[in-house]
C-alpha cells in the first residue's frame, strides 16, 4: 500500500481548498475597495463589513497554506501500532468497514483513494485519541455526546 499516493490526493484536495479561499479573499478585497462601498454617512458600514470579511478570508488562506505545508512535511511511517500517518480500517457493530488516515490537521476531510472513502482523523478527535497506540484486533470504544461507538481494528499500515 502506497501512502504517498494518499498524501498526494490529500494535498490536491487541500490545494483546491486554497484556490477557493484565495478567490474568495480577492472578491472580498475587491468589495472592500470598490467605489460603491465608500460610506455615504457615519452609519454606512458596508466597506467596514467587507474589510472584516477580507481579513477573515486572508486568515483562511493562511490556514490552508499551513495545512498544505503540514502534509508536505509529514513523515509517512509504517508500523503495527496506530500513530501519525497510519492508514487503517475498522469494522463497526453493523459490520460496516470504515477507512481512516491519521493526519496532523484537517480532521473530517474525506478523500477517495484506491476506491475507498478515507476520512482524515487527528489525534485530537475523540476517535483519533481512542485509536492512538492500538493495533490490529483491538477494540476501541468512545462516546460523542449521547452516542456510544465500538470499532474493531481490522488493518493498520
Amino acid at each position: 500500500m502506497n501512502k504517498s499516493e494518499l498524501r498526494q490526493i490529500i494535498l490536491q484536495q487541500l490545494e483546491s481548498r486554497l484556490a477557493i479561499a484565495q478567490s474568495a479573499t480577492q472578491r472580498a478585497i475587491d468589495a472592500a475597495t470598490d467605489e460603491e462601498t465608500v460610506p455615504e454617512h457615519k452609519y454606512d458600514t458596508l466597506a467596514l463589513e467587507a474589510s472584516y470579511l477580507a481579513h477573515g478570508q486572508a486568515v483562511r488562506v493562511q490556514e490552508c497554506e499551513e495545512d498544505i505545508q503540514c502534509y508536505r512535511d509529514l513523515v509517512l511511517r509504517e508500523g503495527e501500532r496506530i500513530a501519525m500517518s497510519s492508514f487503517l480500517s475498522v469494522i463497526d457493530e453493523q459490520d460496516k468497514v470504515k477507512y481512516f488516515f491519521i493526519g496532523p490537521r484537517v480532521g473530517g476531510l474525506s478523500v477517495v483513494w484506491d476506491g475507498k472513502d478515507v476520512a482524515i482523523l487527528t489525534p485530537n478527535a475523540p476517535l483519533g485519541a481512542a485509536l492512538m497506540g492500538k493495533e490490529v484486533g483491538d477494540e476501541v470504544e468512545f462516546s460523542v455526546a449521547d452516542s456510544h461507538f465500538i470499532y474493531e481494528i481490522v488493518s493498520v499500515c
Side-chain angles (χ1 to χ4, degrees):
M1 189 163 281
N2 187 355
K3 288 195 277 187
S4 294
E5 291 175 5
L6 176 57
R7 177 174 43 193
Q8 264 319 110
I9 292 168
I10 293 168
L11 281 168
Q12 288 171 355
Q13 187 98 7
L14 294 177
E15 287 167 359
S16 175
R17 279 182 164 190
L18 174 60
I20 292 167
Q22 288 171 328
S23 174
T25 300
Q26 189 57 52
R27 285 193 310 272
I29 289 169
D30 292 345
T33 58
D34 190 278
E35 289 178 11
E36 293 183 18
T37 60
V38 173
E40 295 176 9
H41 50 79
K42 69 179 184 177
Y43 299 109
D44 189 354
T45 61
L46 187 58
L48 182 61
E49 292 168 8
S51 70
Y52 288 151
L53 179 60
H55 174 73
Q57 291 294 348
V59 170
R60 184 170 167 231
V61 165
Q62 184 178 5
E63 289 171 353
C64 289
E65 289 170 344
E66 290 169 1
D67 292 343
I68 290 169
Q69 194 58 50
C70 271
Y71 276 90
R72 284 187 179 142
D73 295 342
L74 181 63
V75 176
L76 300 176
R77 296 183 169 90
E78 300 294 327
E80 295 178 10
R81 291 193 176 275
I82 297 173
M84 187 62 67
S85 83
S86 290
F87 173 76
L88 60 127
S89 61
V90 299
I91 191 164
D92 65 14
E93 296 174 277
Q94 290 77 37
D95 293 330
K96 184 176 178 187
V97 177
K98 296 181 180 187
Y99 301 94
F100 298 105
F101 179 76
I102 307 294
R105 295 175 71 125
V106 298
L109 178 73
S110 292
V111 297
V112 176
W113 177 52
D114 202 23
K116 300 172 181 86
D117 287 326
V118 180
I120 297 175
L121 283 175
T122 65
N124 298 332
L127 177 56
L131 287 167
M132 296 304 284
K134 304 291 189 213
E135 49 190 32
V136 173
D138 288 349
E139 277 195 357
V140 175
E141 292 187 46
F142 71 102
S143 297
V144 176
D146 294 334
S147 300
H148 188 73
F149 302 92
I150 301 174
Y151 291 124
E152 180 181 345
I153 301 168
V154 178
S155 68
V156 177
C157 67

